[in-house]
């Protein structure tokens, strides 16, 4: 949140943001021997005003083709999300809508569907993931349909499911930036991990012809 506050006060130098982005890409390349196939910002900072332009230019410069655009279908109907958190999510959504043209201009792509805000942490379950996928696919197919062709042609639809599986951090180790935050230290990380490996979820993917993949497979 400090990053957003600094940006709103005009305290961020975009040349330094560019320098930091490039340094992270270069370090990734040094450590792995290849460029990342996908790149986004922690807490979705890559879609913020000003930042979105620098971010897109850096990705285009390095030939990184994929990013995240966190616009989740059905988000407005998720009444289990606390109001304060929903306000943050809706702010992210607005920034994302304003970013689409910027990313498109620079030839950057993203999956057809983004899911993850409504199924994060304690809200994740096999049924909530099923429901989020079904809601999103219905919305995408409805947009693809037309009066002349009420049933859109079948095609492959790509979905990003944002997850945070892992084990609770124990201070001072772990987390991002200055150490583990509340979420990093919570049981919710392990809950996500246990949910994502449940056999019934894997069976659902198979029955729906959903293939798990990474961005490099797209």
């Amino acid at each position: 949140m400090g990053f957003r506050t600094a940006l709103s006060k005009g305290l961020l130098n975009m040349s330094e943001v560019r320098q930091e982005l490039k340094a992270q890409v270069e370090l990734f390349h040094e450590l792995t021997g290849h460029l990342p196939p996908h790149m986004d910002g922690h807490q979705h900072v890559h879609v913020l005003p000003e930042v979105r332009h620098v971010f897109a230019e850096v990705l285009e410069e390095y030939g990184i083709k994929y990013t995240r655009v966190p616009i989740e279908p059905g988000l407005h109907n998720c009444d289990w999300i606390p109001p304060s958190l929903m306000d943050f999510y809706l702010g992210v959504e607005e920034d994302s809508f304003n970013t689409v043209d910027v990313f498109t201009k620079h030839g950057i792509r993203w999956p057809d569907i983004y899911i993850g805000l409504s199924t994060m942490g304690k809200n994740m379950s096999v049924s909530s993931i099923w429901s989020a996928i079904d809601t999103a696919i219905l919305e995408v197919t409805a947009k693809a349909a037309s009066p002349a062709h009420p049933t859109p042609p079948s095609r492959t639809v790509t979905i990003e499911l944002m997850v945070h599986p892992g084990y609770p951090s124990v201070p001072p180790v772990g987390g991002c930036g200055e150490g583990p935050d509340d979420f990093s230290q919570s049981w919710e990380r392990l809950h996500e991990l246990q949910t994502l490996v449940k056999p019934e979820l894997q069976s659902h993917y198979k029955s729906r012809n959903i293939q798990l993949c990474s961005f490099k497979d797209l």
Side-chain angles (χ1 to χ4, degrees), residues 1 20 35 48 58 79 109 111 114 119 123 126 184 206:
M1 295 300 105
E20 175 62 28
L35 291 171
L48 289 173
V58 170
D79 55 9
R109 302 171 64 188
Y114 165 84
T119 58
N123 293 323
V126 172
S184 179
K206 189 173 182 179

Side-chain angles (χ1 to χ4, degrees), residues 2-79:
F3 187 91
R4 285 177 162 80
T5 301
L7 178 65
S8 67
K9 293 181 178 180
L11 301 177
L12 293 183
N13 184 331
M14 287 302 115
S15 66
E16 293 180 353
V17 172
R18 181 188 306 275
Q19 181 181 3
E20 175 62 28
L21 284 169
K22 295 181 71 170
Q24 292 190 22
V25 174
E26 293 288 351
L27 181 58
F28 183 97
H29 184 267
E30 178 185 331
L31 293 172
T32 67
H34 60 84
L35 291 171
H38 160 270
M39 188 170 173
D40 61 48
H42 183 55
Q43 296 284 1
H44 317 291
V45 295
H46 65 297
V47 297
L48 289 173
E50 298 184 66
V51 177
R52 60 175 73 112
H53 296 279
V54 176
F55 177 82
E57 290 166 3
V58 170
L59 264 62
E60 184 178 28
E61 179 181 342
Y62 282 94
I64 300 170
K65 297 296 184 183
Y66 278 93
T67 188
R68 165 187 294 162
V69 176
I71 300 171
E72 179 166 347
L75 177 66
H76 294 236
N77 299 322
C78 300
D79 55 9

Side-chain angles (χ1 to χ4, degrees), residues 139-154:
E139 183 169 312
V140 167
T141 52
K143 286 180 179 178
S146 67
H149 302 282
T151 302
S154 64

Side-chain angles (χ1 to χ4, degrees), residues 16 42 50 80 95 104 131 133 137 153 161 171 173 175 181 187-188:
E16 293 180 353
H42 183 55
E50 298 184 66
W80 58 87
D95 287 332
T104 301
S131 177
I133 291 174
I137 290 177
L161 174 60
V173 178
D181 57 16
W187 59 271
E188 295 179 74

